[in-house]
């Protein structure tokens, strides 16, 4: 399955020493892995000219225009977005020193008031579901493509007090695994996954809807006024199957875990998971000026929002005459398997250090702090090759065309 993306931090309120040291070490190693990895290819003069032409001819509605590029006292239309170029005077007294400050996103949020209806709409999953369904009809009629497949909305709620509708839906959900999620939030905040069961208790369903309805995001940034203007709501949808369900070849080519060892003589000391194999295959398609810029196979994070790039593959569409199966597919981290094995060993040992600290401080459990999660594995060369071929052969061409059509219509 796939999704189109148009362009919480959890704190431990107890001795951050050992629990934090492992995480800092992991971040340092991740930085090394990223710097040592494959570099992004440079654009040719022809490609630059093509993008420049797209930028000058693509039109959007006025809601998407940015009349003022000033944010945190800096004009980002004239200033480098590279933090290495920022002066101390620029950083003083501003959020520029905070980790994760992204000038473009901050400018967009500052220029997204609640009266820009288009910006409010794209933040609302319920409205966007209906919009994409309508756009799908034009895609079939005018582009001659297949309908854009979305998960059906089994239920849409703005209140947990619609007892009759909830009871009716509960009877229809018997034997079906489903998801209850807020339509006004993202990043999996407030999402509940309910496994299939012979009977669904209406009271349980009502509680899940109420939980999603009142969920709030613990954001590292200040939401825009447009985001805050989205009316709280809840969607109930069937659960996506794992992309490996019924796919024997993918189970053989991409195992659920890697073994960890010091060397062959010591034997296996543990395992690290490839958690994404148990999830749906999620493709995020970035469209700029009506053209697909990149397709990202996104494998999700580690539970605390870190290191999703472990499972990412970046597919770059080429010129029209190049078949989608030949599009460039890159891995953002270090490509050498032996180096990845060392990283997995490092993460695994730090994970056990975290477990030891957690077990030695029973107050953490009393405070509701969850135990540390096992670190993720890295994609090996053979696994990357299989996944690149799998995505390019089965999905890349269709999702690129559909995303371009949707983005153009929304603009």
């Amino acid at each position: 399955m796939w999704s189109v993306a148009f362009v919480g931090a959890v704190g431990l309120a107890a001795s951050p020493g050992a629990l934090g040291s492992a995480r800092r070490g992991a971040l340092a190693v991740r930085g090394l892995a990223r710097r040592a990895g494959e570099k992004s290819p440079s654009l040719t003069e022809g490609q630059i000219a093509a993008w420049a032409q797209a930028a000058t001819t693509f039109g959007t509605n006025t809601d998407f225009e940015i009349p003022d590029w000033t944010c945190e006292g800096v004009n980002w239309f004239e200033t480098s977005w590279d933090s290495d170029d920022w002066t101390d005077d620029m950083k003083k007294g501003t959020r520029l020193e905070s980790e994760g400050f992204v000038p473009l996103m901050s400018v967009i949020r500052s220029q997204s008031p609640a009266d820009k209806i288009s910006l409010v709409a794209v933040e609302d999953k319920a409205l966007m579901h209906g919009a994409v369904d309508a756009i799908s009809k034009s895609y079939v009629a005018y582009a001659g493509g297949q309908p854009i497949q979305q998960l059906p909305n089994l239920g849409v709620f703005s209140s947990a007090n619609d007892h009759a509708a909830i009871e009716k839906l509960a009877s229809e959900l018997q034997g079906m695994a489903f998801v209850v999620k807020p339509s006004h939030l993202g990043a999996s905040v407030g999402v509940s996954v309910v496994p299939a069961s012979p009977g669904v208790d209406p009271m349980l369903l009502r509680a899940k809807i109420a939980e999603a309805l009142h969920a709030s995001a613990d954001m590292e940034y200040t939401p825009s006024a447009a985001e805050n203007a989205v009316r709280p709501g809840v969607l109930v949808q069937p659960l996506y199957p794992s992309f490996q369900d019924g796919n024997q070849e993918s189970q053989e080519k991409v195992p659920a875990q890697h073994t960890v060892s010091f060397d062959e003589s010591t034997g296996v000391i543990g395992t690290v998971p490839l958690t994404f194999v148990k999830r749906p295959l999620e493709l995020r398609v970035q469209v700029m000026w009506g053209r697909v810029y990149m397709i990202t196979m996104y494998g999700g994070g580690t539970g605390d929002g870190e290191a999703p790039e472990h499972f990412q593959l970046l597919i770059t569409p080429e010129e029209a005459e190049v078949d989608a199966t030949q599009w460039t597919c890159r891995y953002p981290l270090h490509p050498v398997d032996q180096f990845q094995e060392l990283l997995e060993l490092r993460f695994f040992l730090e994970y056990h250090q975290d477990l030891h600290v957690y077990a030695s401080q029973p107050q953490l459990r009393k405070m509701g702090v969850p135990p540390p999660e096992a670190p993720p594995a890295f994609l090996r060369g053979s696994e990357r090759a299989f996944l690149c071929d799998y995505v390019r052969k089965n999905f890349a061409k269709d999702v690129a065309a559909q995303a371009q059509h949707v983005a153009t219509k929304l603009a």
Side-chain angles (χ1 to χ4, degrees):
M1 310 302 287
W2 60 276
S3 67
V4 178
F6 308 98
V7 245
V10 177
L12 298 180
S15 111
L19 283 171
S21 65
R23 193 63 65 198
R24 288 193 296 274
L27 288 170
V29 175
R30 278 174 51 201
L32 173 62
R34 186 180 295 110
R35 288 192 295 273
E38 299 171 339
K39 294 184 178 180
S40 301
S42 299
L43 294 177
T44 66
E45 289 188 7
Q47 290 171 326
I48 293 174
W51 278 111
Q53 176 68 16
T56 57
T57 58
F58 186 75
T60 65
N61 77 49
T62 55
D63 281 356
F64 293 102
E65 293 179 357
I66 301 178
D68 185 1
W69 284 80
T70 302
C71 183
E72 295 293 328
V74 178
N75 184 339
W76 293 105
F77 190 80
E78 300 175 349
T79 304
S80 170
W81 295 353
D82 186 345
S83 59
D84 291 338
D85 297 333
W86 301 346
T87 66
D88 291 338
D89 287 341
M90 286 173 57
K91 298 177 183 178
K92 189 175 181 180
T94 71
R95 290 190 298 118
L96 271 62
E97 288 188 297
S98 64
E99 184 178 350
F101 177 82
V102 180
L104 178 60
M105 297 308 298
S106 296
V107 169
I108 290 174
R109 292 189 186 104
S110 72
Q111 297 294 308
S112 300
D115 60 356
K116 290 189 174 182
I117 304 303
S118 298
L119 302 185
V120 177
V122 297
E123 298 290 348
D124 189 321
K125 291 183 175 65
L127 286 177
M128 283 302 300
H129 192 282
V132 172
D133 270 349
I135 292 171
S136 177
K137 296 176 181 177
S138 69
Y139 180 71
V140 173
Y142 300 109
Q146 296 296 316
I148 300 174
Q149 298 181 15
Q150 297 192 93
L151 275 181
N153 283 334
L154 305 175
V156 181
F157 298 90
S158 58
S159 168
N161 296 321
D162 193 344
H163 299 284
I166 292 174
E167 187 168 344
K168 180 177 181 294
L169 179 58
S171 66
E172 296 170 350
L173 292 172
Q174 294 180 12
M176 180 189 304
F178 62 94
V179 175
V180 181
K181 62 184 180 183
S183 59
H184 57 294
L185 298 175
S188 298
V189 173
V191 174
S192 297
V193 177
V194 182
S197 63
V200 177
D201 183 355
M203 294 301 293
L204 170 66
L205 179 58
R206 181 175 181 272
K208 295 291 185 184
I209 292 173
E211 181 181 335
L213 193 62
H214 297 103
S216 59
D218 184 11
M219 296 183 178
E220 296 180 351
Y221 64 88
T222 302
S224 70
E227 290 176 273
N228 287 330
V230 178
R231 181 183 180 185
V234 176
L235 305 179
V236 180
Q237 297 178 321
L239 181 66
Y240 269 121
S242 158
F243 90 97
Q244 287 197 340
D245 284 354
N247 189 333
Q248 184 64 33
E249 183 182 15
S250 72
Q251 295 174 24
E252 295 172 354
K253 298 289 188 180
V254 187
Q257 59 190 18
H258 290 165
T259 57
V260 178
S261 62
F262 287 103
D263 52 52
E264 293 183 1
S265 63
T266 61
V268 176
I269 63 172
T271 61
V272 288
L274 282 83
T275 52
F276 78 96
V277 302
K278 301 300 182 183
R279 300 170 180 160
L281 181 63
E282 181 177 350
L283 303 180
R284 295 187 173 185
V285 183
Q286 299 177 31
V287 178
M288 295 175 58
W289 304 308
R291 293 182 58 194
V292 170
Y293 168 72
M294 184 173 293
I295 302 171
T296 303
M297 192 200 87
Y298 180 83
T302 62
D304 58 6
E306 291 192 359
E309 65 268 35
H310 284 226
F311 307 136
Q312 283 186 3
L313 292 173
L314 311 176
I315 299 174
T316 307
E318 309 287 349
E319 287 79 4
E321 61 271 14
V322 178
D323 188 84
T325 59
Q326 303 302 313
W327 288 354
T328 301
C329 184
R330 297 182 294 108
Y331 185 55
L333 298 185
H334 201 291
V336 178
D337 287 358
Q338 291 86 344
F339 187 79
Q340 293 179 352
E341 291 170 4
L342 290 175
L343 292 179
E344 288 177 352
L345 174 61
R346 165 81 179 265
F347 287 149
F348 182 81
L349 295 176
E350 291 177 339
Y351 162 64
H352 270 266
Q353 181 186 14
D354 284 0
L355 280 179
H356 176 73
V357 172
Y358 186 84
S360 68
Q361 299 188 24
Q363 70 269 26
L364 293 176
R365 287 189 294 275
K366 293 179 181 179
M367 294 166 55
V369 177
E373 293 191 5
F378 290 79
L379 285 174
R380 297 287 188 265
S382 61
E383 296 161 353
R384 299 197 301 271
F386 170 79
L387 289 168
C388 282
D389 288 343
Y390 181 78
V391 172
R392 288 181 298 195
K393 179 182 177 181
N394 295 291
F395 303 106
K397 181 179 179 180
D398 286 341
V399 300
Q402 292 176 356
Q404 284 185 170
H405 187 79
V406 171
T408 301
K409 291 297 183 181
L410 289 176

